[in-house]
Amino acid sequence: NLGVTLMGLGRHDEAEASYRQALQIKPDYAEVHSNLGAALMEMGRPGEAEASYRRALQINPEYADVHNNLGAALQKMGHIVEAEPSYRRAIQIKPDHANAHLNLGNVLVDLGRPGEAEARYRQALQIKPDYADAHHNLGTTLQNMDRLDEAEASYRRALQIKPEYHEALSNLGGLLKGLHRLDEAEASYRRALQIKPDYAEAHNNLGSALIYLGRLDEAEASYRRALQIKPDYAEA
C-alpha cells in the first residue's frame, strides 16, 4: 500500500523499493509483482517489467490486467507480434477490458491490419463510450483509411471528452490541412501548442499550414522552433 501511494505521488524509485520489500516478506504476491512491473515501466525499464509481469502470471495465470500490461511492455520493446496474444488473452479472461481492446487495436495498426484495429477501437467504445484515447486512435485509423469525415468526427468526440488533448488537436489539424481548411488547421495547431508549447510535431505541422497560407516567414519560424525542441527532426 505504501508503494501504491508512492506511485500516486510520482516517486517511482521509492515505490519500487517498497514493492521489493513486500516481495521479500511474501514472494508469491501476484499483485505486488504486477505493481512492481508498473513502476518499472514508468521508469523506462520494460525488460525488467516484463519479468515482473511474467512472475505474476506464474502465480495467477488468469490475471487479465497483467496480460494486458505484459502486452504493453512487449510493445514498448518493439516485440509487436508477441504483444498481440497477450492482449487477446486479457480479453479472453475479461471481455469488457476496454484498455486491452484499445491496446490490441494499436498493435493491429502496427501490424498493418487497420480494419481489425477499427473493430477493436469500436469495441472499446462500446464498453466505455467516453474513452478519449479510443476515439482519437479510431480517428487516426480512419484518417489513414481515407475516411476523413468519420475521422474528423472521432477527433472532435475525443476533444469533447478531453479538451486539452494536444495529440488530437494536432492530428485534427493535419486532417483539416488535407481538406484545405487551412484557417481551421492553423487554429487547431495553435491550440495544441497553447497546451504543449514544446510539441515539436505541431510546430512542424503549423509550418506546413502556414506555407499553404503564403506566410513563409512565420512558417520558417515554426520550423526553427520545431528544430530547437528536436534538433534531429529530419522532416522539419
Side-chain angles (χ1 to χ4, degrees):
N1 289 339
L2 176 59
V4 170
T5 301
L6 291 164
M7 279 290 285
L9 293 167
R11 290 153 63 182
H12 303 131
D13 52 346
E14 293 176 72
E16 177 190 359
S18 205
Y19 292 141
R20 292 197 186 279
Q21 183 64 34
L23 290 169
Q24 283 184 347
I25 298 161
K26 187 176 178 183
D28 62 347
Y29 198 167
E31 187 178 354
V32 179
H33 285 288
S34 173
N35 291 352
L36 175 58
L40 293 165
M41 283 291 285
E42 288 290 339
M43 292 187 287
R45 293 152 62 186
E48 292 174 74
E50 178 191 357
S52 287
Y53 293 139
R54 291 196 186 280
R55 182 71 189 103
L57 290 170
Q58 284 177 337
I59 299 161
N60 180 5
E62 300 299 300
Y63 202 155
D65 285 345
V66 178
H67 284 287
N68 180 55
N69 292 344
L70 174 59
L74 292 166
Q75 197 171 351
K76 185 78 171 176
M77 293 186 289
H79 302 159
I80 306 299
V81 173
E82 293 173 62
E84 180 182 354
S86 287
Y87 294 136
R88 290 194 184 278
R89 183 69 185 117
I91 291 164
Q92 190 177 34
I93 296 164
K94 188 179 178 186
D96 64 347
H97 200 311
N99 186 244
H101 284 286
L102 174 80
N103 289 339
L104 178 56
N106 296 343
V107 160
L108 291 166
V109 167
D110 289 342
L111 291 171
R113 291 149 63 187
E116 292 177 68
E118 177 190 354
R120 288 297 165 177
Y121 295 139
R122 292 196 185 280
Q123 183 64 38
L125 290 167
Q126 280 189 345
I127 297 161
K128 188 178 175 183
D130 61 348
Y131 199 169
D133 287 345
H135 284 289
H136 170 260
N137 293 6
L138 175 60
T140 61
T141 300
L142 292 167
Q143 186 174 355
N144 289 334
M145 295 165 74
D146 281 330
R147 290 159 59 186
L148 302 184
D149 290 343
E150 294 173 79
E152 180 180 354
S154 288
Y155 289 141
R156 293 198 183 280
R157 183 71 189 104
L159 289 164
Q160 281 179 335
I161 297 161
K162 189 177 171 184
E164 306 294 295
Y165 200 154
H166 57 272
E167 293 100 332
L169 284 161
S170 184
N171 287 336
L172 175 60
L175 184 147
L176 294 166
K177 185 180 73 176
L179 293 170
H180 305 290
R181 291 158 61 185
L182 299 176
D183 291 335
E184 291 176 75
E186 179 187 359
S188 202
Y189 291 136
R190 291 198 185 279
R191 178 72 186 119
L193 290 167
Q194 279 182 337
I195 296 161
K196 188 176 181 184
D198 62 347
Y199 192 2
E201 289 77 9
H203 283 288
N204 177 69
N205 294 343
L206 175 59
S208 300
L210 290 166
I211 282 180
Y212 282 113
L213 288 163
R215 290 151 59 190
L216 303 186
D217 290 342
E218 291 176 71
E220 178 188 354
S222 286
Y223 291 135
R224 291 197 185 279
R225 183 71 188 106
L227 289 166
Q228 281 179 336
I229 297 161
K230 195 173 174 182
D232 59 349
Y233 193 169
E235 188 182 344

